[in-house]
Amino acid sequence: MTLVSSNKVDTNRYELVIDVDGETFMKAVNAVYRKQVKNITIPGFRKGKAPRSVIEREYGEGVFYEDALKDLYPVAVAQAVEEANLEMVKDKVDLDVEKAGKDGVTFKVVITVEPEVTIENYKGITYTPTSTEVTDEDVEAEVKKVLERNSRQVTVEGRAAQSGDIAVIDFKGLLDGEAFEGGTAENYSLALGSGSFIPGFEDQVIGHNAGEEFTIDVTFPEDYQAEELKGKAVQFEIKLHELKEKELPVLDEEFVKDHSEFDSVEAYKADIKAKLEQDRKDEAESDQERQIADRLRELMQAEVPEAMYENQVDNLIDEFAMNLRVQGIDMKTYMHYTGITEESMRETYHDRAVSQVEVRLALKKIAALEGLEASDDDVENKYNELAETYKVPVERVKAAFSRKELAGDLNVDKALAFVKEASVAVEKVTETAE
């Protein structure tokens, strides 16, 4: 394969003229012949036994040329792109064969490439840091969540319903005196104060006692999903069977020993505090990166081809589909039951894809400007890390991720670390009224 020429013909579009020598082309032609001959019938020969020369005489010398070029094309273009020092983007390709024969094939191909990027003032980006402080109140709130998860429900007697109770009720909804679809249930456990029912419903159950039967009046919101009930005033006939409340366990050494690796309440709380502090630090770092990413997009200048955004949308959807498969759900089933269309899903991911593409382009340029380049050891260590993460042989990881692709990811990581290290924390200024 020889790259004859490389010329820019439009924004982010290059025309490559590529020549494939005769020996290589004829090998590809012969490979196509061997695959297709079994399906070819020529008078005087058993099916699949006709010589290539006879088939070419019958159907034309170039009968196998198109398929041979299809086989050669990906490798030839990839080599030409690398030789031309371009970054090709998956997109519509314009192909024009200039000549093809025993002496080889010469073709033109117009490809989309990554844009030229300029970026300045990326050192010293300011960001507002997020507090990582963990207070005693934070620890107590986390402890309460644990106790809530281990609570039990006990029947309430001798008092009326109040917020926080579980009310076991029958209800029947009436619109203009007639029961409406979906408005009836028996022995339904409703958490009062949860806001899970339409506004006003739970408030009107509060104050009633177990055994009472009563009617409440509510109005459905204007944006309610059922068209026939939007904004409609209705009545609900209620029968309150039982009231329950959560009974939380006592936080003592026995509880701690049963629900953790610790022997004392103090050690248990100290561990909760340490985990909360780490969570806050992780959140603060993520927030710093988000602020830096937003600023990088503002600083970067480039005419990004739409194909790069669309390709990243594809990647995000593929990632989502893979996560569904892990849960035993296929994409078609998910889309059927949620009513989501491919178009709406692409719209959902578009803004995120735009952000990710632009931030990556900015960081890639910074890596080049600062000479940040992954070493062979860096790449090998990453291969081993991925193999350990996915519990597969390192050879499988190397087959899945090209060295160039992995090195590019590491370069971007190095650039992000560089920009973060050079960033400046600025406390948020609080405006005060005069």
Side-chain angles (χ1 to χ4, degrees), residues 13-33:
R13 297 281 282 176
Y14 272 76
E15 180 188 79
L16 307 180
V17 179
I18 303 169
D19 184 73
V20 179
D21 63 88
E23 181 181 358
T24 301
F25 186 52
M26 285 301 105
K27 282 184 179 178
V29 168
N30 203 45
V32 171
Y33 157 72

Side-chain angles (χ1 to χ4, degrees), residues 117-173:
V117 176
T118 59
I119 187 167
E120 298 177 346
N121 302 320
Y122 53 82
K123 297 176 185 176
I125 290 176
T126 60
Y127 70 97
T128 303
T130 302
S131 173
T132 59
E133 180 187 6
V134 175
T135 65
D136 290 342
E137 289 76 15
D138 294 329
V139 174
E140 292 302 324
E142 192 64 26
V143 168
K144 186 177 180 180
K145 290 179 184 177
V146 175
L147 296 178
E148 288 272 1
R149 289 196 295 269
N150 290 277
S151 65
R152 65 189 185 97
Q153 294 182 3
V154 295
T155 300
V156 175
E157 296 179 351
R159 68 166 175 81
Q162 60 188 31
S163 183
D165 287 346
I166 308 296
V168 182
I169 61 174
D170 296 343
F171 61 85
K172 181 179 181 181

